């Protein structure tokens, strides 16, 4: 471990350069041509033969010289449609931003790729490196799975990590069992009949219908879900009308359902559909509810999580690795892997305001800044964890 950590530290300047290039050129969603080309170029330079198994989804493998199992390491690469407001010299200027740290994740896995190449003769099995698009839209993991990312060779266990703004640098967190909420993205379309605002009786007001639907949906949480269950319904988009004195034909609302139980999430969606349709009918209109995308709650395999955490402790120290029970209400599409193979998801502290006033802003904030010191830690975590797991599971 000591030798690998020393090798990782020698990569620091290179990793910072890679990260800043990716950060300065953010791409959103499932189509990441520049990012994909850059990552493939780096992998090829490190001696890999990367394969694009679906659009912007890259897989590369290393090892196989010694027989054994296969351990998957996954990083996401997509950014957010947020205009960056940091003071960094390498800030993005195209209206998008790596405000969730996916530039850091891709860089750490590229660092791990280089480390694994250096220690290739010691790999007892195969390590599969996965660079994935559209985590934010919850389609990336599902596309990779459908394209066969867990096959050829067949994956036995998987790991991912995520930077965590506001947690001290190099402190590692991981949940036991369900630790991150599932999410269903939805759209509600309300159709009425437009008319002049002075004569509402001649039309059907979709804004009025949408308002009643909006308020009624919150009653599901307050009156139909147990207080001991965690769930939240949020509508973040409510669009209708163009003029102050005209009742429009249509209103569109978009939002999310989040829950720590797949069953609770499905129940809420079903009740939302009933409320949406019946409320619109009550006020002489029509409405429909659509699922746009979804991701299940993330479950860490507790045995795997505790084992890999023991390897991570060798890198960051015993006191810097903290497990917890219960879950937060954010969502992560690595969850889809966890329903197919034993998986573990770590959160790596990226700095606090006490360390530097620039650090500690919330994830997805236009001014969030991550401590680049953790790039070395993340690269070492990936490489060492994979090698040690394979060694102990012959």
């Amino acid at each position: 471990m000591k030798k690998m950590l020393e090798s990782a530290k020698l990569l620091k300047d290179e990793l910072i350069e890679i990260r800043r290039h990716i950060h300065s050129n953010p791409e959103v969603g499932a189509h990441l041509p520049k990012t994909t080309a850059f990552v493939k170029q780096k992998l090829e330079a490190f001696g890999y033969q990367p394969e694009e198994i679906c659009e912007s989804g890259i897989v590369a493998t290393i090892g196989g010289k010694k027989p054994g199992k296969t351990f998957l390491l996954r990083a996401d690469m997509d950014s957010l449609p947020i205009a960056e407001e940091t003071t960094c010299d390498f800030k993005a200027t195209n209206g998008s931003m790596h405000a969730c740290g996916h530039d850091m994740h891709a860089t750490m896995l590229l660092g791990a790729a280089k480390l694994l190449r250096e220690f290739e003769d010691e790999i007892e099995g195969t390590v599969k490196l996965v660079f994935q698009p559209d985590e934010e839209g919850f389609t990336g993991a599902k596309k990779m799975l459908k394209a066969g990312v867990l096959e050829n060779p067949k994956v036995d266990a998987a790991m991912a990590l995520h930077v965590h703004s506001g947690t001290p640098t190099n402190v590692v967190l991981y949940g036991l069992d369900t630790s991150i909420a599932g999410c269903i993205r939805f759209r509600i379309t309300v159709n009425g009949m437009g008319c002049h605002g002075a004569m509402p009786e001649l039309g059907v007001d979709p804004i009025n219908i949408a308002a009643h639907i909006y308020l009624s949906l919150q009653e599901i949480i307050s009156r139909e879900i147990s207080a001991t269950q965690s769930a939240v319904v949020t509508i973040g988009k409510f669009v209708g009308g163009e003029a102050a004195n005209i009742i429009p034909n249509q209103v569109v609302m978009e939002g999310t359902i989040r829950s720590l139980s797949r069953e609770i999430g499905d129940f809420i969606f079903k009740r939302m559909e009933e409320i949406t349709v019946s409320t619109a009918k009550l006020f002489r209109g029509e409405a429909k509810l659509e699922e746009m995308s979804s991701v299940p709650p993330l479950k860490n395999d507790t045995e795997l999580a505790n084992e890999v955490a023991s390897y991570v402790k060798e890198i960051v120290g015993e006191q810097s690795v903290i497990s917890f029970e219960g879950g937060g209400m954010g969502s992560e599409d690595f969850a889809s892997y966890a329903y197919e193979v034993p998986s573990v998801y770590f959160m790596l502290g990226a700095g606090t305001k006490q360390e530097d006033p620039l650090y500690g802003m919330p994830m997805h904030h236009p001014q969030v800044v991550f401590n680049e010191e953790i790039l070395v830690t993340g690269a070492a975590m990936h490489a060492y964890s994979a090698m040690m797991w394979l060694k102990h599971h012959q």
Side-chain angles (χ1 to χ4, degrees), residues 107-239:
T107 301
M108 291 170 182
L109 193 52
L110 284 172
K114 194 162 188 179
L115 288 173
L116 289 165
R117 177 61 70 197
E118 181 180 343
F119 293 90
E120 183 175 11
D121 290 341
E122 298 176 33
I123 299 173
E124 299 181 32
T126 302
V127 182
K128 183 174 284 191
L129 309 175
V130 174
F131 296 83
Q132 179 204 297
D134 202 27
E135 187 281 325
E136 297 292 350
F138 301 150
T139 72
K142 290 177 180 177
K143 287 179 181 176
M144 297 291 280
L145 290 167
K146 187 176 180 180
V149 71
L150 298 181
E151 306 299 329
N152 302 317
K154 184 174 175 60
V155 171
D156 297 289
M159 169 182 159
L161 62 82
H162 199 297
V163 297
H164 202 253
S165 182
T167 294
T169 295
N170 287 332
V171 168
V172 178
L173 310 173
Y174 71 99
L176 301 174
D177 198 45
T178 301
S179 57
I180 296 178
C183 180
I184 301 173
R185 295 176 183 266
F186 63 83
R187 175 186 291 127
I188 296 172
T189 304
V190 181
N191 291 308
M193 186 170 68
C195 64
H196 197 291
M199 294 166 282
E201 73 279 7
L202 299 180
V204 176
D205 188 350
I207 294 178
N208 177 57
I209 297 171
H212 279 83
I213 292 172
Y214 176 89
L215 293 172
S216 298
L217 295 184
Q218 298 306 322
E219 306 303 327
I220 302 173
I221 302 299
S222 66
R223 286 296 174 267
E224 299 187 38
I225 303 295
S226 169
T228 62
Q229 296 280 355
S230 297
V232 61
V233 174
T234 298
I235 290 179
K237 180 177 178 180
F238 195 123
V239 180

Side-chain angles (χ1 to χ4, degrees), residues 30 35 42 54 57 89 97 100 136 159 169 180 183 191 202 212 236 254 292 294 308 315 339 360 380 382-383:
T35 309
K42 286 296 178 184
C54 62
D89 294 340
M97 179 188 178
C100 201
E136 297 292 350
M159 169 182 159
T169 295
I180 296 178
C183 180
N191 291 308
L202 299 180
H212 279 83
E254 293 181 6
M292 298 168 67
S294 65
V308 178
I315 296 169
Y339 286 80
H382 273 311

Side-chain angles (χ1 to χ4, degrees), residues 5-14 376:
L5 195 54
E6 288 173 354
S7 294
K9 288 177 180 177
L10 294 175
L11 297 178
K12 180 180 175 181
D13 290 344
E14 183 179 1
V376 167

